[in-house]
């Protein structure tokens, strides 16, 4: 499938073996683009196709209180700059007061901006998310954002391919978040470096679009350039009728083309891996890289993993040999482009069943978009969360990245549905444990890292 | 961009593996919308924790890094901050992919050195010896002993010539792009629907 996506977007080649790849769509957010627009201005360049761009502010926006206009400060200025740039260059922006606002990787599929068969880029590494639709989607730097805006093209080296099949039957309480964490643990944070991972197998075929997105979202944490999943009826049903999806006869034409995208049965991959999902229990990271991960009931490894293991344990304040289960937590975070979609919130709410967040634990739910928030509220999920003692926020990146006012204090421990447990990611000195929405909720209630299988 | 061919300078060794972009440039400084003057944010959290190996007060034009350097986010701020520190060359056994591209787009040489050869460079760095990095021959040498490094052919050309990728694409490939677009309009008209409507109106 990667080959098909690649071949259908080659504009030209160069002697160095690279290909100039046509970029169909570009998502913009406030953080990665100020300098891209500057690049356009400095070189006196115009936008090649403004209609292929969509902008939204998500990283820097406060989620706790959303009084508009934003209070004075850097975040206000950054969002205002995005607005001014979009106006100047004729790019559509979903404003903060719009219910369609949210995290780029949540709103784009929601609006039908993400489509199968396209190339899509964004100045954000988790652009891989959109691969769940059978799009070739990858994160780029700010300079490249400028290049795409001016030329609609990027030079790329062709990647190698890896197919990972998830077969078997998921244990109760286990989600695709656990699968991807287990995979990263198995192959390492650079295990798929230079590759594009295509996910397949019976578990993937049966998975919803939300679950597929969680999986592709984190493919890059294994070093992969992006994740891919073959589009099928689940994909088409999700997209049908979305605001920006093709309509009428164009929809029919598109479906016909999209059905030809999946890899042929005899397709060759540079690497293949088959995983029996039945053996995978709930996963939680213990270190400061997403590959420092294990099953909730497994012991934290000792220094046999090298010096980085020891350093990570020191930063995380965690001893070797003890299981993750039972480790006391201070914060619980449900949200982000990995797990901030409606299905994630439903999975979390289902764990609560009348119980309350443990005393001493601050727990928050941050919907991935205004639409997710509205949908959750119409289902009464906000009432369930609030009654249990969770904070209910406005949409944004929030605690996934400590730059919007939501912050974990130094030395405090947070169990989080986000995608990165790097040093300082949730605030200087903050300790992050990545896990699924169900595990995070069960842990919030228990006051410590908890095995969801014992509470479902 | 300015052309790059060779440099002779001191180096800093930072052997840690998986130094991610959050370490190089902590997220809370991403609110800054300029690309100049970011030196004081480079490695800021490590510096404030007493790690003085590299930061605003201690730097060198050449950085000998560990495996998977610059992994993590796509933030180009990490590269701008390193550039602001005066870093011109980063040599490591491997890099985060987007980070490497970002380096190329900012005239920084990110070269791959075999794991087995990097120890010598670290020793030279720690002994404050001068390293000579030559892009034409793709070698880094110290006291006459040379170690090869790898860099993409295209990045090499681009650095040597000081090209601006964006304007270069426009001047060399405008016709190819137009041709591609013409085909795509016919084959995938749904990707052009919103623009087609505007044209009719
Ligand atoms: S939720 Fe986190 S990973 Fe996703 S776009 Fe926002 S900051 Fe990036």
């Amino acid at each position: 499938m990667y080959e098909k996506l690649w071949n259908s977007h080659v504009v030209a080649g160069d002697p160095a073996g690279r290909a100039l790849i046509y970029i169909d769509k570009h998502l913009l957010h406030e953080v990665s683009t100020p300098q891209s627009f500057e690049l356009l201005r400095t070189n006196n360049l115009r936008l090649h196709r403004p209609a292929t761009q969509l902008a939204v502010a998500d990283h820097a926006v406060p989620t706790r209180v959303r009084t508009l206009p934003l209070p004075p400060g850097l975040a206000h200025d950054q969002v205002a700059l995005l607005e001014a740039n979009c106006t100047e260059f004729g790019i559509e922006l979903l404003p903060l007061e719009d219910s369609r606002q949210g995290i780029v990787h949540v709103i784009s599929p929601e609006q039908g901006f993400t489509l199968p068969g396209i190339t899509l880029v964004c100045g954000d590494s988790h652009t891989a998310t959109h691969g769940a639709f059978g799009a070739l989607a990858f994160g780029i730097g700010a300079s490249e954002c400028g290049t795409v805006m001016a030329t609609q093209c990027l030079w790329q080296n062709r990647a190698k391919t890896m197919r990972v099949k998830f077969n078997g039957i998921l244990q109760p309480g286990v989600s695709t978040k656990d699968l991807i964490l287990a995979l990263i643990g198995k192959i390492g944070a650079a295990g798929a470096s230079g590759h594009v991972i295509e996910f397949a197998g019976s578990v993937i075929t049966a998975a919803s679009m939300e679950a597929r997105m969680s999986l592709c979202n984190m493919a890059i944490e294994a070093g992969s350039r992006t994740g891919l999943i073959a589009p099928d009826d689940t994909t088409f049903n999700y997209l049908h009728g979305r605001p920006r999806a093709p309509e009428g006869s164009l929809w029919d034409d598109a479906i016909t083309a999209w059905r030809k995208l999946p890899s042929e049965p005899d397709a060759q991959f540079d690497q293949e891996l088959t995983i029996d999902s039945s053996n995978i229990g709930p996963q939680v990271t213990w270190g400061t890289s997403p590959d420092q991960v294990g099953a909730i009931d497994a012991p934290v490894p000792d220094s046999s993993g090298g010096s980085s293991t020891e350093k990570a344990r020191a930063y995380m304040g965690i001893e070797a040999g003890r299981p993750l289960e039972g480790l006391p937590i201070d914060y619980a975070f449900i949200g982000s482009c990995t797990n901030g979609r409606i299905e994630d919130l439903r999975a979390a709410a289902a764990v609560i069943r009348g119980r309350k967040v443990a005393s001493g634990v601050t727990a928050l739910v941050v919907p991935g978009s205004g639409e997710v928030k509205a949908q959750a509220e119409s289902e009464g999920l906000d009432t369930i969360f609030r009654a249990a003692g969770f904070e209910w926020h406005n949409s944004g990146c929030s605690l996934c990245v400590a730059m919007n006012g939501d912050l974990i204090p130094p030395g405090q421990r947070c169990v989080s549905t986000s995608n990165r447990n790097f040093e300082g990611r949730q605030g200087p000195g903050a300790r992050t444990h990545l896990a699924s929405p169900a595990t995070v909720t069960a842990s919030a209630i228990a006051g410590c890292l908890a095995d969801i299988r014992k509470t479902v | 961009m300015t052309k790059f061919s060779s440099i002779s300078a001191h180096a800093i060794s930072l052997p840690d593996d998986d130094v991610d972009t959050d370490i190089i440039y902590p997220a809370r400084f991403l609110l800054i919308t300029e690309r100049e003057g970011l030196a004081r944010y480079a490695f800021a959290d490590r510096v404030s924790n007493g790690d003085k190996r590299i930061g605003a007060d201690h730097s060198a034009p050449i950085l000998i890094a560990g495996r998977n350097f610059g992994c993590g986010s796509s933030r180009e701020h990490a590269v701008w901050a390193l550039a602001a520190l005066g870093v011109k060359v980063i040599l490591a056994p491997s890099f985060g992919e987007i980070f490497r591209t970002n380096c190329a787009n900012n005239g920084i040489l990110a070269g791959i050195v075999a794991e087995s050869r990097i120890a010598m460079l670290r020793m030279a760095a720690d002994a404050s010896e001068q390293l000579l990095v030559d892009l034409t021959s793709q070698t880094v040498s110290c006291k006459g002993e040379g170690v090869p490094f790898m860099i993409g052919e295209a990045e090499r050309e681009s650095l040597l010539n000081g090209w601006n990728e964006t304007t270069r694409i426009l001047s060399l490939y405008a016709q190819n792009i137009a041709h591609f677009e013409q085909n795509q309009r016919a084959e995938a008209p749904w990707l052009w629907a919103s623009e087609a409507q505007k044209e009719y109106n």
Side-chain angles (χ1 to χ4, degrees):
Chain A
M1 180 161 57
Y2 175 69
E3 196 171 12
K4 294 184 193 178
L5 290 167
W6 178 269
N7 289 340
S8 63
H9 287 89
V10 174
V11 172
D14 79 353
R18 297 183 308 175
L20 192 63
I21 292 293
Y22 194 80
I23 304 299
D24 295 318
K25 304 213 181 188
H26 177 211
L27 286 163
L28 296 85
H29 62 86
E30 75 280 27
V31 176
S32 62
T33 53
Q35 297 85 352
S36 325
F37 284 109
E38 217 33 65
L39 189 120
L40 296 181
R41 277 189 209 103
T42 319
N43 292 291
N44 219 345
L45 299 171
R46 296 182 331 126
L47 244 62
H48 186 63
R49 282 177 72 194
T52 64
Q53 326 263 325
L54 181 64
V56 72
D58 55 1
H59 283 63
V61 302
T63 65
R64 191 176 303 266
V65 196
R66 174 86 44 92
T67 41
L68 294 172
L70 294 178
L74 287 175
H76 168 276
D77 298 350
Q78 196 166 48
V79 173
L81 183 59
L82 179 67
E83 287 165 1
N85 280 330
C86 286
T87 309
E88 181 184 338
F89 287 90
I91 294 174
E92 183 177 354
L93 168 81
L94 302 179
L96 280 185
E97 59 272 19
D98 196 310
S99 73
R100 295 170 299 169
Q101 180 273 341
I103 305 171
V104 267
H105 310 310
V106 177
I107 63 122
S108 175
E110 224 167 57
Q111 295 304 318
F113 188 74
T114 305
L115 296 175
I118 62 168
T119 45
L120 181 151
V121 295
C122 171
D124 185 283
S125 52
H126 293 98
T127 308
T129 312
H130 310 270
F133 289 80
L136 183 58
F138 51 94
I140 57 176
S143 298
E144 290 180 299
C145 290
T147 307
V148 168
M149 288 196 269
T151 71
Q152 212 73 29
C153 290
L154 280 179
W155 285 110
Q156 291 284 302
N157 287 304
R158 195 169 164 151
K160 296 199 192 102
T161 55
M162 178 190 286
R163 179 160 65 184
V164 179
K165 280 189 182 159
F166 286 108
N167 290 332
I169 292 167
L170 290 182
Q171 295 177 24
V174 170
S175 70
T176 49
K177 178 66 168 285
D178 300 292
L179 298 185
I180 187 69
L181 283 172
L183 176 71
I184 298 164
K186 190 179 164 82
I187 66 176
S193 186
H195 288 72
V196 162
I197 304 182
E198 179 173 340
F199 298 103
S202 57
V203 174
I204 306 305
T205 313
S208 67
M209 285 320 294
E210 284 85 353
R212 293 178 187 182
M213 283 189 256
S214 304
L215 196 68
C216 288
N217 175 277
M218 284 193 73
I220 51 144
E221 307 300 345
S224 175
R225 271 195 215 167
T226 188
L228 274 180
I229 293 175
D232 58 9
D233 286 337
T234 305
T235 322
F236 308 146
N237 291 337
Y238 176 98
L239 285 172
H240 191 68
R242 301 243 165 210
R244 285 158 202 265
E247 292 169 2
S249 67
L250 282 179
W251 172 258
D252 300 331
D253 296 347
I255 294 271
T256 310
W258 295 342
R259 286 204 191 279
K260 295 182 193 139
L261 285 170
S263 298
E264 304 302 324
D266 58 349
Q268 297 288 313
F269 294 83
D270 296 300
Q271 284 195 58
E272 285 230 53
L273 202 64
T274 302
I275 293 177
D276 182 1
S277 316
S278 331
N279 296 330
I280 296 177
Q283 304 283 309
V284 181
T285 61
W286 52 263
T288 54
S289 167
D291 59 356
Q292 293 174 324
V293 63
I296 179 86
D297 49 356
V300 173
D302 63 17
S303 52
S304 59
S307 66
S308 64
T309 314
E310 227 164 285
K311 232 177 107 235
R313 273 196 287 102
Y315 179 87
M316 293 296 290
I318 193 171
E319 319 99 65
R322 67 154 298 157
L324 286 158
E325 194 176 353
L327 193 68
I329 56 161
D330 308 297
Y331 284 81
F333 169 58
I334 299 170
S336 86
C337 60
T338 316
N339 283 128
R341 298 188 180 79
I342 187 66
E343 207 176 79
D344 302 309
L345 303 197
R346 286 185 192 133
V351 175
I352 295 176
R353 282 184 282 111
R355 290 171 298 173
K356 296 236 178 315
V357 171
S359 70
V361 174
T362 306
L364 44 151
V365 183
V366 184
S369 72
E371 302 271 293
V372 169
K373 185 172 187 237
Q375 176 66 30
E377 286 172 354
S378 78
E379 295 177 20
L381 300 184
D382 59 322
T383 320
I384 298 177
F385 284 121
R386 281 205 173 104
F390 282 87
E391 295 174 13
W392 180 250
H393 285 226
N394 292 294
S395 59
C397 293
S398 181
L399 267 181
C400 178
V401 58
M403 61 173 295
N404 44 50
D406 296 333
L407 203 71
I408 306 291
Q412 303 255 299
R413 198 175 292 288
C414 177
V415 59
S416 173
T417 65
S418 53
N419 43 50
R420 282 191 178 137
N421 52 346
F422 295 163
E423 277 177 36
R425 174 81 181 184
Q426 297 189 299
R431 294 164 168 167
T432 307
H433 295 276
L434 304 176
S436 73
T439 296
V440 170
T441 313
S443 306
I445 293 165
C448 58
L449 295 178
D451 190 337
I452 177 72
R453 291 169 300 188
K454 296 179 185 162
T455 50
V456 279
Chain B
M1 243 160 30
T2 42
K3 295 182 185 183
F4 185 107
S5 58
S6 74
I7 183 173
S8 174
H10 287 121
I12 284 184
S13 168
L14 190 71
D16 314 22
D17 291 336
D18 300 315
V19 170
D20 58 66
T21 50
D22 277 83
I23 295 177
I24 304 172
Y25 193 88
R28 61 186 181 286
F29 305 123
L30 291 173
L31 290 171
I32 296 162
T33 54
E34 287 90 40
R35 47 178 291 178
E36 308 292 337
L38 302 184
R40 64 195 145 121
Y41 309 115
F43 299 92
D45 288 340
R46 287 212 165 171
V47 170
S48 64
N49 282 330
D51 183 345
K52 299 273 152 61
R53 289 175 295 174
I54 182 166
D57 297 325
H58 187 59
S59 170
I62 303 172
L63 176 63
I64 315 291
R67 261 181 255 150
N68 206 17
F69 186 77
C71 62
S73 93
S74 59
R75 64 185 72 154
E76 203 159 312
H77 306 68
V79 174
W80 299 326
L82 286 163
L85 290 183
V87 173
K88 303 250 178 327
V89 177
I90 308 172
L91 299 170
S94 60
F95 289 92
E97 282 206 45
I98 307 178
F99 179 85
R100 214 172 65 184
T101 310
N102 288 342
C103 280
N105 280 325
N106 288 277
I108 292 184
L109 191 173
I112 296 177
V113 173
E115 198 117 13
S116 56
R117 307 296 299 274
I118 209 155
M120 173 207 140
L121 300 178
R122 289 198 195 294
M123 270 156 50
D126 291 340
S128 300
E129 275 160 20
Q130 293 258 328
L131 294 179
L132 172 67
V133 177
D134 182 43
L135 182 54
T136 321
S137 64
Q138 288 187 222
T139 50
V140 44
S141 46
C142 175
K143 292 190 194 154
E145 191 181 345
V147 173
F149 63 83
M150 263 171 28
I151 178 169
E153 178 59 31
E155 280 129 56
R156 198 176 86 107
E157 286 283 294
S158 189
L159 281 168
L160 285 171
N161 294 295
W163 282 332
N164 171 327
E165 287 290 358
T166 311
T167 48
R168 209 174 130 77
I169 291 174
L170 286 176
S171 59
L172 293 184
Y173 297 96
Q175 278 203 340
N176 302 63
I177 296 171
H179 181 71
F180 177 92
E181 289 179 338
Q182 205 184 342
N183 283 344
Q184 198 191 50
R185 268 177 194 261
E187 276 163 27
W190 58 90
L191 296 178
W192 293 81
S194 61
E195 285 145 291
Q197 263 167 23
K198 264 186 221 130
E199 278 159 29
Y200 290 131
N201 286 345

